[in-house]
Amino acid sequence: MRTLVLNAGYEPLAIVSFKRALVLVMNDKATVVERVDGDPVWGTRGRHDRPAVILLTRYVRVPGARRVPVTRRGVLRRDAHHCGYCGKAASTIDHVLPRSRGGADSWENLVACCLRCNNVKGDRTPQEMNWELRFLPQPPHGAHWTVRGTERSEPSWEPYLGMAA
């Protein structure tokens, strides 16, 4: 059982085991926001609610802006496995500005791409091919990108992760 940890400002920070979450609650470092009904934890001093979501009592400063590292898997996930040029199912990634021309491995320069479009485009730019990108590639944002483990989220976490947005 895993527990979502929220900062004092209600932004998601981490996912921890329910045991770690219970220790934070018992030491008055966090409060239980959502609990798992019908599954209490029994201890020597009685019964405790099993936490699903906890809120830290003090704000924890997160150093710097959390940058999501660029990966092939991440680009495909960001683009929902759809080609940035034709919209079909994508299995590869493409550099909008080719690396041979100084294109970087960045969120803004990579798009998911189907094998056909990737082979046809080669080391040319979309402008040279008279192609248009279906969307402007940008770095991903949201808690499900910055907090590890949210890809297998619990239903009780959704209001706190902003999944509906």
Side-chain angles (χ1 to χ4, degrees):
M1 188 74 193
R2 302 173 315 146
T3 302
L4 176 65
V5 179
L6 302 175
N7 209 344
Y10 280 86
E11 62 268 7
L13 271 186
I15 295 172
V16 297
S17 70
F18 84 89
K19 291 177 184 178
R20 175 69 181 134
L22 205 54
V23 167
L24 289 169
V25 170
M26 294 174 84
N27 288 329
D28 294 325
K29 296 191 184 286
T31 58
V32 177
V33 177
E34 296 273 338
R35 55 189 47 86
V36 178
D37 292 327
D39 193 14
V41 178
W42 293 93
T44 56
R45 294 189 180 157
R47 176 184 173 274
H48 303 280
D49 290 325
R50 186 179 301 260
V53 180
I54 62 172
L55 176 69
L56 296 179
T57 55
R58 296 185 62 190
Y59 186 81
V60 174
R61 187 180 160 283
V62 180
R66 288 188 179 178
R67 295 257 325 144
V68 180
V70 180
T71 62
R72 177 183 178 278
R73 188 170 158 188
V75 171
L76 289 169
R77 186 174 149 212
R78 176 199 66 188
D79 298 348
H81 292 270
H82 291 290
C83 180
Y85 303 111
C86 71
K88 293 182 180 173
S91 58
T92 64
I93 60 170
D94 179 61
H95 289 79
V96 178
L97 177 64
R99 286 195 306 191
S100 63
R101 300 190 185 185
D105 289 333
S106 67
W107 288 108
E108 295 83 2
N109 192 47
L110 292 170
V111 292
C113 192
C114 69
L115 195 57
R116 182 184 169 282
C117 287
N118 207 343
N119 286 333
V120 169
K121 181 177 171 283
D123 68 343
R124 293 174 288 213
T125 65
Q127 292 80 17
E128 291 172 349
M129 299 292 296
N130 291 324
W131 288 1
E132 285 188 30
L133 280 171
R134 297 170 56 87
F135 58 89
L136 183 65
Q138 297 177 342
H141 57 279
H144 55 282
W145 286 95
T146 56
V147 179
R148 293 178 53 133
T150 56
E151 58 277 352
R152 296 184 342 259
S153 69
E154 306 288 329
S156 60
W157 298 356
E158 290 182 17
Y160 306 100
L161 293 175
M163 296 275 191

